[in-house]
Amino acid sequence: MNTADLGLPVDVPSTALFTDHYELTMLQAALAAGTAERRSVFEVFTRRLPEGRRYGVVAGTGRVLDAVENFRFDEPVLAFLRERRVIDERTLDWLAQYRFSGDVWGYPEGEVYFPGSPVLRIEGSFAECVLLETVVLSILNHDSAIAAAASRMASAAGDRPLIEMGARRTHELAAVASSRAAYVGGFATTSDLAAGFRYGIPTVGTSAHAFTLLHDSERDAFRAQVDSLGAGTTLLVDTYDVAEAVRAAVDIAGPDLGAVRIDSGDLLLVAHRVRQQLDELGATRTKIVVTSDLDEYAIASLAAAPVDAYGVGTQLVTGSGHPTCSMVYKLVARAASADPKAPLVPVAKRSTGGKTSIGGRKWAARRRDAQGVAEAEVIGTGPVPADLAEQQLLVELIKGGSVLARESLDVVRDRHAAARDALPLSATQLSRGEAVIPTEYV
């Protein structure tokens, strides 16, 4: 069962308090001023990519849809707000009826993005849209950062599969979201059963050093594991002496031993020695899995090693040095009055320090060359040029408050692989650089 297709609620009663205090005080003031119902357009974008990154990855869109649907102010939440005197009774009454009834457009999940890309566009009244800012940003900033790190690691790994193993290195709920984002970015499996249950991601795992230390000898531990899980299991061979452990593993499991895992030492050197030893013992089909604080650079350094799979934890769930994407949620257009027919007026923040934004409801398209390789991210507020009409990026996600479609993670994962493959080859280089294609405004 793929629970990603079922639209299950998030793991808390309501997402309504996944927001900042000032969202509600803004709402109260706007209600009092008579401006809360003005039709508004908010956009999510980032002004720059994390230092050295060549592209970003849109991830978390499916979780955003769940969060919007589950954004409800139930009685316990309203009682909390009343007790703390966060807002007045009029605003509490308004929140009690809150249901998002607007429209949401966005880049399809798994797509790549660049500075200025309007990865999400939220349209409706100011009141209903402004409340979603914090929860939308918290999801997209986290998940897109993890997916970008995963994508770089997947590029470095090539055809070798990646195992997500970071649950113990982050918050328990962030671990589930990280596993989902890693799968979008190209990881094949996860060790986290909650992620497997919630999103249908394949789960894997066999044993840790504690299991070996539990037994009177390493051979006893290997024998117990093979007797229980079969010869196709993966045996951890670096608790004591690696060479002796490999010898014992093949002796006990036979030449059909599934894999050995190496979790310490000079992985490049040890992997070559273990491969030679396995072959000499007749275990030519036994695979080698390496773990131990890997990141995309360590994975790339092992490209010439006889490694069959990588397990990645800490560096993945922390975004490999960039745990956020610095996405922002900005009002870019609003009506001059509460009249539904009032025209939209572009608005934008004007300030120094690199925090300016561009007003207007935007479209985005990716221009490609004759070979189909991306050459520019084109963003505009007026009519879409005829030559870009078929290359527009935003799709409708929510219409009139109703989610239009949810996608399986396999569809999203395949989309990301295709989007990354359509970028210039330099996109997958690990060396630092600017965005691999420019952003053009028209």
Side-chain angles (χ1 to χ4, degrees):
M1 175 180 68
N2 188 346
T3 55
D5 295 329
L6 303 182
L8 298 180
V10 295
D11 299 325
V12 292
S14 167
T15 55
L17 291 185
F18 289 172
T19 192
D20 289 310
H21 186 117
Y22 79 167
E23 310 291 7
L24 301 189
T25 53
M26 278 195 290
L27 170 64
Q28 176 178 309
L31 287 171
T35 53
E37 296 304 319
R38 288 186 176 185
R39 189 161 56 101
S40 300
V41 180
F42 287 82
E43 289 176 352
V44 176
F45 62 93
T46 185
R47 297 182 176 93
R48 64 191 66 82
L49 296 176
E51 184 181 358
R53 296 290 169 88
R54 315 303 299 275
Y55 62 93
V57 181
V58 178
T61 308
R63 296 207 307 120
V64 166
L65 300 181
D66 288 343
V68 171
E69 278 197 331
N70 209 42
F71 203 88
R72 303 284 187 269
F73 291 84
D74 55 22
E75 282 306 318
V77 169
L78 293 170
F80 164 79
L81 296 174
R82 180 177 291 110
E83 178 186 348
R84 297 293 182 94
R85 298 183 179 181
V86 175
I87 46 178
D88 61 20
E89 284 297 324
R90 178 189 180 186
T91 309
L92 286 168
D93 290 342
W94 190 94
L95 291 176
Q97 307 301 317
Y98 179 86
R99 299 290 186 275
F100 180 74
S101 63
D103 303 331
V104 177
W105 291 70
Y107 279 37
E109 188 165 15
E111 185 55 86
V112 296
Y113 71 86
F114 299 92
S117 296
V119 298
L120 204 70
R121 190 176 72 218
I122 301 91
E123 305 181 23
S125 71
F126 175 84
E128 63 181 338
C129 295
V130 74
L131 295 180
L132 300 176
E133 176 181 5
T134 305
V135 69
V136 166
L137 287 179
S138 68
I139 292 172
L140 292 181
N141 267 316
H142 174 270
D143 290 22
S144 296
I146 305 306
S151 179
R152 285 163 59 86
M153 293 173 187
S155 293
D159 295 332
R160 298 170 179 177
L162 290 157
I163 308 163
E164 186 277 311
M165 303 171 65
R168 63 192 61 194
R169 303 302 188 196
T170 189
H171 184 279
E172 65 272 16
L173 296 182
V176 182
S178 295
S179 181
R180 182 187 184 280
Y183 193 73
V184 170
F187 274 59
T189 54
T190 180
S191 66
D192 189 6
L193 288 174
F197 174 76
R198 179 69 179 83
Y199 296 114
I201 302 169
T203 60
V204 294
T206 51
S207 68
H209 292 104
F211 184 77
T212 302
L213 296 170
L214 168 68
H215 292 80
D216 294 335
S217 71
E218 192 169 48
R219 295 183 68 89
D220 288 346
F222 288 172
R223 188 173 292 107
Q225 185 174 328
V226 170
D227 287 347
S228 177
L229 302 178
T233 191
T234 299
L235 295 175
L236 182 57
V237 295
D238 72 327
T239 305
Y240 304 119
D241 179 84
V242 173
E244 180 56 36
V246 170
R247 190 175 302 109
V250 176
D251 183 46
I252 291 167
D256 293 327
L257 172 63
V260 296
R261 179 162 74 96
I262 307 166
D263 188 50
S264 60
D266 183 336
L267 296 179
L268 179 63
L269 175 63
V270 175
H272 277 287
R273 289 177 174 174
V274 168
R275 181 73 270 161
Q276 180 179 353
Q277 186 179 10
L278 287 170
D279 292 345
E280 290 172 351
L281 293 171
T284 56
R285 295 187 301 275
T286 299
K287 298 183 182 301
I288 297 175
V289 180
V290 296
T291 53
S292 185
D293 257 349
L294 299 177
D295 61 10
E296 59 265 49
Y297 301 102
I299 291 168
S301 73
L302 293 168
V307 171
D308 298 286
Y310 306 93
V312 188
T314 302
Q315 293 301 319
L316 175 67
V317 299
T318 57
S320 194
H322 296 292
T324 182
C325 303
S326 299
M327 290 183 183
V328 294
Y329 185 106
K330 295 298 181 182
L331 180 66
V332 296
R334 52 87 176 166
S337 71
D339 183 346
K341 296 181 180 179
L344 288 173
V345 178
V347 295
K349 176 180 179 179
R350 296 178 181 176
S351 65
T352 58
K355 285 195 171 184
T356 57
S357 56
I358 298 173
R361 182 179 185 272
K362 300 175 191 66
W363 53 263
R366 189 162 300 143
R367 190 172 67 239
R368 302 172 186 271
D369 65 17
Q371 286 71 46
V373 178
E375 60 180 15
E377 193 88 338
V378 186
I379 299 170
T381 57
V384 181
D387 61 322
L388 295 175
E390 300 300 318
Q391 299 180 53
Q392 293 189 73
L393 292 162
L394 278 76
V395 299
E396 198 166 18
L397 301 170
I398 296 178
K399 184 176 180 62
S402 298
V403 175
L404 296 181
R406 283 183 170 84
E407 299 177 304
S408 75
L409 283 184
D410 288 329
V411 170
V412 174
R413 189 169 182 265
D414 290 345
R415 175 183 294 126
H416 173 62
R420 187 180 62 202
D421 288 347
L423 296 176
L425 286 175
S426 58
T428 58
Q429 292 178 347
L430 296 182
S431 56
R432 292 181 178 274
E434 299 300 319
V436 72
I437 61 173
T439 300
E440 299 177 0
Y441 293 94
V442 298

